[in-house]
Amino acid sequence: MDFLTVVTPAGQTFRHEIAASVLRIGRASTNDLNLPDLNVSRVHAQIERHPDGFYVADAGGKNGTFVNERRVAGPTLLRPGDRVRVGTTTLIFNGSAGSSVEFSDRPLLAGAGTTCLPAGTIRTPALTDIPLLLEVTPPPPTGGPDVMPGARGAGAAEDRGARGAASPSAEARGRSLASSPSLGAILAEANEQLVFHRPLRELLDTIMDLARRAVPFERGLLMLREEGDRLEPQVVRVPPDEAGKTISISRTITDRVVLNKESVLTSDALLDDRFRRGQSVEAQRLRSVLCVPLWNNRDVIGLIYVDNRHRAGVFTEENLRVLAHLANVAAVKIENARLFEQVVAAERMEQELQNAAEIQEHLLPAQGPPIPNYLVYGHSEPCRAVGGDYYDFLALPGGRYGIGLGDVAGKGLPAALLMCSFQASLHALSELNLPLAEMIARLNRLLSRQIPENRFVTFFYGVLDPARHTMAYVNAGHNAPSLLRPGATPEGLAVTGLPLGMIAPATFGVREVAFGPGDILVCYSDGVTEEASAGGEQFGEARLLMATREAQESAPGDIARRINEALNEHCSGAPRQDDTTLVILKRTA
């Protein structure tokens, strides 16, 4: 569905879907999109759906309506990514406001003016425990380097000794921090906002909303560690006129936060020797920087970074402690939300796979067709919810019947999708009543264009003429079906061509066999003969034929059940490692 990404004057973002043919925009609550922006008129603009796309038009906004910073004089066609500005609010059509983030800095240098707080220094009790007891070690004596516990530098051992002697009691620390209105207010709001489950995306936005209330930042990022331990921005809060622009942040700072598990505060980055040489600090004239780890008491799963480019000393040590505490709480909530969404996603996938399995089961024949003097039975059992094995019975002109069994390379959902495409192609070609070799050659060319290079289909297809008791067949790289005649040695219907989908111009030979009374044709996928016992011994063709002989006087369905019983006995009930499919044809008279 088409949508707008709304960037508020405060830098917050949310998505608004365009559900109706006309979307009215303005400050009045009667609008479809209500914007509480004092620079937006009560009825400001509207977006209309037309056959060729969406158009935005000004509806009397006193400050005008702009598309990519050009004031619109009439209805203007919107393209994905276009930025519509009404007042000080930006609307991005079918696009994201997320700014790209780059890391740029030189190695950390020794210096002063920076406070560091190790993760875990602030211990996070239950959110309901307010006032909180914060295990915070006091700063070093005046005149020493302005580095909190966890900093690595000269004099660290001496500082630890001094801090241990001067450390106030836990009760005194609790009274001091509990008296801070900012801490109490933020923690109370965190308790209210984060206590209930929220979708991960909404939770991340809420955490940054709380961070903005706690710290007067200009730009803010919430980043999470993804595969390969790379940091990926999840929420970006910047002034509206900077939405979508690249943000360069200090790798020195983020490395210290993630690798050393420290919270970092610098009161003036431009005067701090550690960051002054950093390219990102110089380029963006950062004055105040604060960065805290998202620490879940085991690992750093990300960070919250905020900065200010206009004033030094904006952030205080109290801001550092409050934001670090909020980050601790947030990290636990993020982990819980991730786990919950993984469970929900797994359950959803399981349900979708069950639905897919039901659909696939309906695509395969429920029973064999009524062929004069013949009985035919087919059965397929995927090793996963869905599989890539396929069998089919097709009624053809002249009273003939197509009998096929195929095996798509691979297992699971990808193989099942290719199987469905293969079935549709086979049914379409069978309607043309082509000679057998030509039909298989066309099917091969279709598959060569449709499926990836590393996929192919082995396929046995026979056309039974019950009036003549003959079967013309093509074996495209499939296991040779066995023809068992009473009192005779089994015959294998050998390969007559390559698997389908491998080479587009391939040709396929056609052979013919005759059926006498009592003859049985056993077609199978390689999952049957290659299933192994606990000791690694495969079921093999010999056991398959033995099980068939044991039930050769029975109907095809009973023969298939006997083969499956023998297979289960051989595997000792172990889960199947591949799809197993059988098609059995028997001449009764």
Side-chain angles (χ1 to χ4, degrees):
M1 178 176 288
D2 298 282
F3 65 95
L4 297 172
T5 298
V6 182
V7 185
T8 70
Q12 299 175 351
T13 63
F14 63 89
R15 175 180 170 131
H16 184 91
E17 294 185 344
I18 308 175
S21 57
V22 177
L23 178 72
R24 296 173 178 81
I25 304 166
R27 198 173 74 251
S29 59
T30 54
N31 288 286
D32 304 304
L33 177 55
N34 170 235
L35 301 175
D37 179 346
L38 294 178
N39 294 296
V40 172
S41 300
R42 292 181 59 80
V43 178
H44 196 112
Q46 66 182 35
I47 293 176
E48 297 181 3
R49 186 197 306 266
H50 292 270
D52 58 337
F54 287 89
Y55 285 76
V56 63
D58 189 85
K62 62 181 179 181
N63 293 320
T65 300
F66 297 79
V67 174
N68 299 328
E69 295 308 317
R70 290 188 177 184
R71 187 164 185 164
V72 301
T76 301
L77 179 65
L78 292 175
R79 294 177 174 81
D82 279 352
R83 308 171 74 85
V84 179
R85 181 167 60 81
V86 290
T88 51
T89 299
T90 300
L91 314 173
I92 305 171
F93 177 68
N94 284 348
S96 170
S99 302
S100 59
V101 176
E102 66 178 14
F103 297 92
S104 175
D105 216 341
R106 296 174 182 171
L108 190 66
L109 302 175
T114 298
T115 299
C116 294
L117 197 66
T121 299
I122 295 179
R123 295 178 184 172
T124 310
L127 281 176
T128 53
D129 295 341
I130 297 176
L132 291 172
L133 177 63
L134 304 185
E135 297 289 345
V136 178
T137 309
T142 305
D146 187 13
V147 178
M148 292 296 289
R152 314 291 186 259
E158 292 82 355
D159 286 346
R160 282 196 297 273
R163 289 195 296 269
S167 177
S169 68
E171 183 180 355
R173 290 196 302 271
R175 283 197 304 269
S176 171
L177 292 173
S179 64
S180 167
S182 60
L183 175 60
I186 291 300
L187 294 181
E189 188 166 3
N191 182 39
E192 180 182 342
Q193 295 288 334
L194 302 182
V195 69
F196 297 110
H197 171 73
R198 296 168 181 264
L200 181 60
R201 174 52 51 192
E202 183 180 333
L203 173 65
L204 298 179
D205 283 328
T206 300
I207 291 167
M208 284 305 290
D209 290 343
L210 291 167
R212 183 178 287 280
R213 293 182 179 87
V215 180
F217 66 79
E218 181 189 12
R219 304 185 307 174
L221 303 172
L222 189 154
M223 308 182 78
L224 295 180
R225 292 174 84 175
E226 303 293 349
E227 248 180 77
D229 283 340
R230 70 182 188 278
L231 283 169
E232 292 290 342
Q234 304 294 327
V235 182
V236 179
R237 297 289 169 82
V238 295
D241 60 342
E242 295 186 29
K245 295 181 181 177
T246 299
I247 299 173
S248 181
I249 66 173
S250 168
R251 185 180 294 278
T252 301
I253 295 175
T254 58
D255 281 353
R256 183 151 193 166
V257 168
V258 173
L259 302 179
N260 294 1
K261 303 179 177 65
E262 293 178 337
S263 298
V264 174
L265 160 66
T266 178
S267 56
D268 195 337
L270 291 177
L271 300 179
D272 190 331
D273 285 342
R274 301 187 324 151
F275 306 124
R276 187 174 58 190
R277 296 188 184 185
Q279 297 172 2
S280 64
V281 171
E282 280 293 324
Q284 303 193 63
R285 310 296 293 174
L286 300 178
R287 302 303 300 267
S288 299
V289 175
L290 199 161
C291 191
V292 298
L294 290 163
W295 167 260
N296 63 6
N297 297 320
R298 297 185 312 278
D299 302 298
V300 175
I301 64 169
L303 58 83
I304 297 176
Y305 170 95
V306 299
D307 65 34
N308 194 297
R309 292 168 294 179
H310 301 296
R311 287 193 297 140
V314 172
F315 305 141
T316 66
E317 199 171 297
E318 177 71 1
N319 292 143
L320 178 67
R321 293 188 173 99
V322 172
L323 194 60
H325 186 107
L326 175 62
N328 286 355
V329 176
V332 175
K333 292 296 295 183
I334 290 169
E335 282 291 273
N336 290 341
R338 277 176 159 177
L339 290 172
F340 181 80
E341 292 196 355
Q342 287 172 9
V343 170
V344 170
E347 290 177 348
R348 184 183 301 117
M349 177 60 73
E350 180 65 27
Q351 183 60 52
E352 289 177 358
L353 285 174
Q354 289 179 7
N355 294 340
E358 291 176 5
I359 292 171
Q360 187 175 47
E361 186 177 356
H362 284 295
L363 291 176
L364 299 177
Q367 59 186 18
I371 306 175
N373 300 315
Y374 288 85
L375 292 174
V376 64
Y377 174 85
H379 175 76
S380 183
E381 184 176 335
C383 65
R384 300 178 185 172
V386 291
D389 279 7
Y390 164 68
Y391 72 91
D392 215 340
F393 311 126
L394 291 80
L396 303 175
R400 297 172 303 145
Y401 292 88
I403 298 173
L405 190 152
D407 184 355
V408 176
K411 303 178 185 66
L413 196 56
L417 291 172
L418 288 177
M419 185 274 276
C420 293
S421 175
F422 176 81
Q423 183 195 45
S425 299
L426 176 65
H427 278 234
L429 288 170
S430 67
E431 296 287 333
L432 301 178
N433 197 26
L434 299 169
L436 181 55
E438 184 180 346
M439 187 190 83
I440 299 299
R442 287 198 186 188
L443 183 60
N444 176 65
R445 289 195 295 272
L446 282 173
L447 290 174
S448 299
R449 293 196 296 265
Q450 292 175 349
I451 65 177
E453 291 183 0
N454 62 339
R455 299 281 181 171
F456 57 86
V457 181
T458 65
F459 187 51
F460 173 85
Y461 185 73
V463 176
L464 176 68
D465 185 346
R468 297 176 54 239
H469 298 295
T470 60
M471 173 183 281
Y473 70 89
V474 169
N475 187 342
H478 196 74
N479 299 81
S482 293
L483 179 58
L484 285 76
R485 305 181 189 276
T489 302
E491 302 174 25
L493 305 191
V495 169
T496 64
L498 291 172
L500 304 180
M502 295 186 71
I503 300 175
T507 57
F508 300 88
V510 177
R511 296 183 184 176
E512 186 174 279
V513 293
F515 285 92
D519 286 356
I520 300 170
L521 179 67
V522 181
C523 306
Y524 57 93
S525 64
D526 59 9
V528 175
T529 52
E530 293 178 7
E531 282 294 331
S533 65
E537 184 181 3
Q538 293 187 349
F539 183 67
E541 187 179 0
R543 289 186 178 89
L544 170 71
L545 296 177
M546 182 183 301
T548 304
R549 289 291 193 194
E550 290 172 357
Q552 65 182 355
E553 302 300 326
S554 304
D558 294 325
I559 296 173
R561 280 185 281 276
R562 177 66 195 106
I563 293 172
N564 274 310
E565 287 172 2
L567 183 59
N568 288 332
E569 290 168 6
H570 176 76
C571 298
S572 302
R576 300 282 174 91
Q577 299 301 310
D578 198 357
D579 306 330
T580 54
T581 303
L582 288 166
V583 169
I584 298 177
L585 175 71
K586 181 177 183 179
R587 179 179 170 184
T588 57

